[in-house]
Amino acid sequence: MSKPPLPARNLKPATIAVHEGTLRSQFGETAEAMFLTQGYVYDSMEQAEARFTGADPGFQYSRFSNPTVDMFERRMAALEGAEAARATATGMAAVTASMLSFVSAGEHIVAAKALFGSCRYIVEDLAPRFGITSTLVDGCNLDAWQKAVQPNTRAFFLETPTNPTLDILDITAIAEIAHAAGAKLIVDNVFATPIFQKPLALGADVVCYSATKHIDGQGRTLGGIVLGSEEYVTGPLQMFLRQTGPSLSPFNAWVMLKSLETLALRVERQAATAARVADFLGDHPKVQRVIYPFRDDHPQVALARRQMTAGSTLVTFDVKGGKEEAFRFGGALGIVKITNNLGDAKTLITHPATTTHQRLSADARAELGISDAMLRLSLGLEDADDLIEDLSIALDAI
Ligand SMILES: *Cc1c(COP(=O)(O)O)cnc(C)c1O
């Protein structure tokens, strides 16, 4: 395997996403090869020994590393501006490993309350079972982060924009509080995508993704990735992943690699459609309110514009009324599909109160601003006029 040379210039994300990390075999294939192999054979006992001591840097076993997975990790690291990355079987494996790889019993995590449901479970329920305490805070309130700090605080965890209310958390300010406390800031960057927000450049220490979302982008494979410093990734993270085994399949890594080639193209188009749809919904008499980070009526629009280069591919809105009206609207959609997923080529709609956030009490939902009339729309790659017509017909059906 060899690494085809790239010009030593500052390449832009769309170029990186097509070329970086490519390894080419002796056959000179144009497209990245898929190495569906569990293991690797050695020329000699001596070479096997050298692989295990680390003196020879080749591959040993696909639970630890694999050429196709390696290409995906290198391409993602280049895109994110991270020193190193490790891929995982799912986004949840990435989030879990990002914390449990270096936080121990007796230590403490602070996280924003508004988290993807399973991430909240890790922080609120799983970590405490192993002696890691946690505090959940209102992520938009910087004082709350500061007040939650304890002498044993080891990690801060947040997502921004948040699911489903699209709140914007100030990564730079929260990173400063974390660092003053001697803690690492981990950012789940799924909603922003690697194209629209660069948490490491804003001061975060670790970034994780569910690659299941925009990175695959076509609803096929599950995957995840954790990115950060060489020291963190090749130290505690690599040890945790290697020994516990949530490895990404080389097949899925290959799908993700090919998807990265179109990531910038896809999310830029999806965000442009999202902005248009947000304005359509904002003007509609059957809509109570619309939430879109780049709209002037978003409470943190200035921060969103500072921190992100587009307002995301999602739009959240409340129809006038409650659950009944939201369900009637959903039932009248033709092109837009009802599901709990996001970041697909197909436009998807979710009713958070009865699906993704059903596990929370009504009070906890109210505290997060999730009403029974709320819908989360993930914009796909269909024609924007067709989508607006579909939404318009369904709004008229309420
Ligand atoms: C989907 C998602 C996850 C979990 O990813 P999986 O690939 O489903 O395991 C974590 N965080 C956010 C913000 C997500 O949207």
Side-chain angles (χ1 to χ4, degrees):
M1 299 292 288
S2 67
K3 192 175 179 300
L6 278 176
R9 297 192 291 266
N10 240 344
L11 301 175
K12 308 256 182 336
T15 311
I16 291 172
V18 173
H19 289 286
E20 274 288 358
T22 301
L23 295 171
R24 202 154 270 149
S25 80
Q26 73 274 26
F27 300 116
E29 65 282 353
T30 312
E32 296 74 2
M34 192 200 313
F35 290 91
L36 276 183
T37 181
Q38 298 169 341
Y40 307 86
V41 294
Y42 310 110
D43 294 338
S44 63
M45 296 294 194
E46 286 76 11
Q47 190 184 41
E49 182 182 24
R51 286 280 162 89
F52 275 78
T53 63
D56 179 330
F59 297 94
Q60 286 166 270
Y61 187 52
S62 288
R63 169 151 45 79
F64 318 157
S65 57
N66 168 281
T68 311
V69 177
D70 191 74
M71 286 191 250
F72 174 59
E73 292 169 345
R74 286 171 195 270
R75 188 168 294 175
M76 278 298 299
L79 191 58
E80 196 67 42
E83 288 174 8
R86 286 294 175 272
T88 55
T90 64
M92 281 322 303
V95 167
T96 306
S98 76
M99 286 185 261
L100 297 192
S101 60
F102 79 104
V103 183
S104 302
E107 295 178 332
H108 174 240
I109 297 172
V110 186
K113 258 182 217 146
L115 288 184
F116 181 78
S118 298
C119 299
R120 187 155 159 166
Y121 169 82
I122 302 295
V123 173
E124 200 174 19
D125 299 296
L126 182 75
R129 278 178 41 210
F130 296 89
I132 299 166
T133 54
S134 59
T135 307
L136 291 172
V137 299
D138 168 3
C140 295
N141 180 347
L142 295 177
D143 283 344
W145 287 95
Q146 183 63 60
K147 285 205 186 89
V149 168
Q150 299 176 6
N152 59 345
T153 302
R154 202 70 208 290
F156 276 25
F157 181 76
L158 63 85
E159 62 184 50
T160 178
T162 63
N163 174 32
T165 48
L166 308 182
D167 298 329
I168 306 296
L169 276 56
D170 188 335
I171 295 174
T172 303
I174 296 167
E176 276 169 21
I177 300 170
H179 296 158
K184 273 194 201 321
L185 172 61
I186 303 169
V187 174
D188 178 340
N189 205 38
V190 167
F191 273 45
T193 81
I195 303 297
F196 298 146
Q197 180 168 271
K198 302 282 185 204
L200 299 177
L202 293 166
D205 303 284
V206 177
V207 179
C208 14
Y209 289 98
S210 165
T212 312
K213 310 295 165 52
H214 305 85
I215 293 173
D216 174 296
Q218 289 146 86
R220 299 161 297 189
T221 55
L222 298 171
I225 192 157
V226 186
L227 306 104
S229 70
E230 184 81 31
E231 186 195 359
Y232 165 81
V233 170
T234 61
L237 181 73
Q238 177 160 300
M239 183 59 80
F240 183 90
L241 292 175
R242 175 181 173 137
Q243 311 296 3
T244 62
S247 322
L248 181 64
S249 151
F251 177 83
N252 289 1
W254 178 81
V255 172
M256 303 290 183
L257 259 175
K258 300 310 289 174
S259 281
L260 280 179
E261 297 182 339
T262 57
L263 177 68
L265 199 62
R266 285 184 285 107
V267 298
E268 278 159 16
R269 163 75 177 267
Q270 287 167 316
T273 303
R276 266 195 66 191
V277 165
D279 288 341
F280 162 76
L281 292 169
D283 290 339
H284 200 283
K286 298 252 172 92
V287 173
Q288 181 68 35
R289 66 158 178 171
V290 62
I291 309 173
Y292 189 66
F294 268 32
R295 262 174 70 91
D296 289 335
D297 58 2
H298 191 289
Q300 295 135 319
V301 61
L303 174 60
R305 288 185 181 272
R306 206 158 63 231
Q307 189 162 278
M308 299 168 73
T309 55
S312 102
T313 66
L314 293 113
V315 178
T316 296
F317 61 103
D318 282 14
V319 292
K320 281 190 182 148
K323 176 179 165 183
E324 198 186 320
E325 286 73 14
F327 272 34
R328 205 173 306 142
F329 166 79
L333 290 164
I335 299 169
V336 178
K337 300 300 170 211
I338 302 167
T339 171
N340 46 288
N341 206 2
L342 63 101
D344 199 290
K346 296 181 170 62
T347 295
L348 308 175
I349 197 150
T350 307
H351 185 247
T354 53
T355 59
T356 54
H357 291 71
Q358 189 196 121
R359 195 178 73 86
L360 298 181
S361 66
D363 283 351
R365 278 198 298 274
E367 195 184 23
L368 293 172
I370 301 169
S371 80
D372 288 348
M374 181 172 278
L375 294 151
R376 185 195 75 192
L377 192 60
S378 164
L379 281 307
L381 293 172
E382 303 93 336
D383 186 280
D385 290 332
D386 285 340
L387 290 173
I388 287 172
E389 190 177 12
D390 207 46
L391 295 166
S392 173
I393 292 168
L395 285 166
D396 288 343
I398 294 180

